[in-house]
Amino acid sequence: MKTLLSIDGGGLFGVGVANWLPKLAGNWKFDCYAGTSVGSILAACYATGMSPAEVQKLFNSDLPKKMFTKEGGVKGLAGLANYTTKGARDALASVFGDMKVSEVKHPLVIVAWNYNMNKEKVFSQSSNSSYLLRDAVLASISAPTYFRPLKLKNEEGKEEQLGDGGVCGNDPSLAGITEMLKKQKVDIKDIKCLSIGTTGEPREKKIKISTIKDWIPILTDVITLGNVAYTSYCVRHILGNRYLKVSPDALPRGSMDNFKLVPKIKEAWEKHPEKEALNFLRK
């Protein structure tokens, strides 16, 4: 049996995940890692061989604040993005250096979006593996309004504009399973997936549409939470009891770049029991 660890996107909510996953350290036997947005940072760290404790320490350092470096000057006034690509790139370079996707220790899948082609951009050992790992992660975290589209030259030398994998696969489970089937030649019956829902369980909310502006938060939820729910539905029915989604109920609601929420995020994950996940991994 081969086990996939899949981690959703969710900005600063990923700090809680980084602090919870060390509870599984005694049963840390993953054969593939998949991540989107902040999940891609976590997955990339684990895939390079960093321990859960080392990743926890990294996320409790000043890395998150370095990732969210404010735009200044004329660019900041233009309102095209809240944070600088340079700040995020420098922060990721301090973690991953010049390592390429092909050079990571363990199988890894990172999901991003190609604005030019209006399609997914998946980085793995079997797809787009010659990119720098830090660039693959930077592409995946470049969410609209938070960061500008990331301009990178593809393997044919043509410039592409890449962005947040959350718009197509905020839950990267299916991409991870596909990589295991394609690259590792694993039979679908021999795959199980532990999926981490970074921002919490879906909650019911009242919908009132009076003007066209009322659609904005609804469409934002559809783009991010919608594809998470759909992916989870598919994987749950494909894998059956070989699939487990972990996502605390008590997580606060708010912006993914709100540092004031971090203590509550950590607290919610700290209180979330790990027993079910441990039993799942021991099967």
Side-chain angles (χ1 to χ4, degrees):
M1 187 68 67
K2 300 291 185 180
T3 307
L4 167 68
L5 176 62
S6 174
I7 309 175
D8 294 0
L12 289 174
F13 285 81
V15 177
V17 177
N19 279 274
W20 184 81
L21 282 174
K23 294 182 178 183
L24 310 182
N27 290 84
W28 198 268
K29 299 177 182 178
F30 296 104
D31 301 283
C32 185
Y33 299 92
T36 296
S37 197
V38 70
S40 75
I41 306 176
L42 289 159
C45 286
Y46 300 131
T48 59
M50 293 178 68
S51 70
E54 288 173 324
V55 178
Q56 179 183 28
K57 183 177 180 180
L58 181 66
F59 270 73
N60 288 335
S61 70
D62 59 355
L63 177 70
K65 288 188 177 180
K66 288 181 178 178
M67 295 292 299
F68 289 108
T69 302
K70 283 282 188 181
E71 283 271 18
V74 176
K75 289 185 178 180
L77 292 174
L80 298 177
N82 290 332
Y83 303 103
T84 68
T85 296
K86 182 181 184 304
R89 177 180 276 120
D90 290 346
L92 293 171
S94 70
V95 179
F96 302 118
D98 295 327
M99 181 181 292
K100 293 182 178 180
V101 174
S102 61
E103 297 171 338
V104 296
K105 185 176 182 180
H106 304 289
L108 171 67
V109 180
I110 292 173
V111 180
W113 180 252
N114 187 327
Y115 288 112
N116 300 89
M117 300 299 295
N118 283 320
K119 61 180 292 187
E120 80 291 337
K121 182 80 173 185
V122 177
F123 301 89
S124 69
Q125 277 87 342
S126 64
S127 302
N128 303 305
S129 62
S130 65
Y131 285 82
L132 292 173
L133 180 58
R134 65 177 188 244
D135 285 341
V137 172
L138 184 55
S140 188
I141 71 166
S142 295
T145 74
Y146 289 90
F147 295 97
R148 296 165 182 263
L150 178 65
K151 295 180 180 180
L152 288 179
K153 288 186 177 180
N154 63 20
E155 293 172 323
E156 288 75 42
K158 184 178 179 181
E159 186 177 84
E160 296 177 336
Q161 295 191 64
L162 307 177
D164 181 25
V167 303
C168 63
N170 207 43
D171 177 345
S173 299
L174 279 176
I177 291 170
T178 301
E179 180 68 10
M180 294 177 80
L181 294 172
K182 182 170 63 171
K183 179 68 175 178
Q184 296 179 277
K185 307 298 183 183
V186 183
D187 190 285
I188 190 66
K189 294 179 181 179
D190 294 324
I191 295 175
K192 65 179 181 179
C193 174
L194 178 62
S195 177
I196 308 298
T198 310
T199 55
E201 290 290 335
R203 297 178 189 175
E204 183 180 357
K205 69 177 184 179
K206 295 181 180 179
I207 301 296
K208 183 179 180 180
I209 302 175
S210 301
T211 68
I212 195 168
K213 290 183 179 179
D214 295 330
W215 279 105
I216 295 176
I218 296 172
L219 293 176
T220 300
D221 283 349
V222 169
I223 291 171
T224 54
L225 302 180
N227 69 59
V228 167
Y230 177 70
T231 298
S232 182
Y233 169 85
C234 292
V235 178
R236 185 170 65 251
H237 286 82
I238 292 170
L239 298 184
N241 63 4
R242 290 176 285 113
Y243 172 76
L244 177 65
K245 187 82 173 183
V246 175
S247 198
D249 294 324
L251 281 169
R253 287 296 185 257
S255 175
M256 294 184 294
D257 60 344
N258 186 349
F259 280 89
K260 293 180 180 179
L261 293 179
V262 170
K264 292 183 179 180
I265 293 169
K266 286 183 177 181
E267 182 182 3
W269 275 101
E270 178 62 32
K271 291 180 178 179
H272 191 72
E274 68 275 12
K275 185 177 180 179
E276 186 180 20
L278 285 171
N279 288 337
F280 176 78
L281 294 175
R282 288 167 183 159
K283 286 181 182 178

